[in-house]
Amino acid sequence: MWYIVWALFMAYGIYLFVLIWMRQSSAKVVSAEEFGKDLRHGQLIDVREKDEFKAAHILGARNIPYSQFKERFMELRKDQPIYLYEEGVSIAGRCAYRLKKNGYTNIFILKHGFEAWNGKVKKREN
């Protein structure tokens, strides 16, 4: 029985390692301060799902939910920096990996996700 638990633990560890490797090989994870420096010269993409985006998002962001990212990433320009964010960094890392595999460069991810953002935010009025 212990070997099953050990095998599951090892599999999960490998999974986490792969996610970290994908993120680090595809994009630069930056602080909120660095993330906000050149947003006007790039493409700001919120990869959270539509309801989360509607509730609150960084002002000027475009929503391409992770569930649609595979079909819609071609909407992004390759000649401009891409700034990705979500609640954390793992989903944005997967999106960055897909972009990198398809020839995109200059990709940035917001460290600690949307909650770390201290700039302007658009919120839904209740």
Side-chain angles (χ1 to χ4, degrees), residues 35 43-53 56-58 61-70 72-73 76 82-99 107-110 113-114:
F35 192 81
Q43 304 165 87
L44 178 59
I45 309 300
D46 185 327
V47 296
R48 299 176 303 158
E49 293 304 314
K50 192 179 224 176
D51 291 340
E52 294 171 294
F53 178 80
H57 59 270
I58 297 174
R62 206 165 114 199
N63 185 223
I64 302 180
Y66 178 68
S67 61
Q68 301 172 10
F69 202 80
K70 184 177 181 180
R72 295 186 53 200
F73 75 88
L76 301 173
I82 298 172
Y83 298 89
L84 301 171
Y85 75 92
E86 45 127 339
E87 291 303 321
V89 295
S90 61
I91 293 172
R94 292 180 205 170
C95 293
Y97 185 71
R98 178 169 299 281
L99 291 170
I107 304 165
F108 302 90
I109 297 174
L110 178 58
F114 181 63

Side-chain angles (χ1 to χ4, degrees), residues 30-33 58 86-87 110-119:
V30 297
S31 68
E33 182 180 313
I58 297 174
E86 45 127 339
E87 291 303 321
L110 178 58
K111 186 177 189 175
H112 303 301
F114 181 63
E115 292 300 316
W117 181 249
N118 52 10

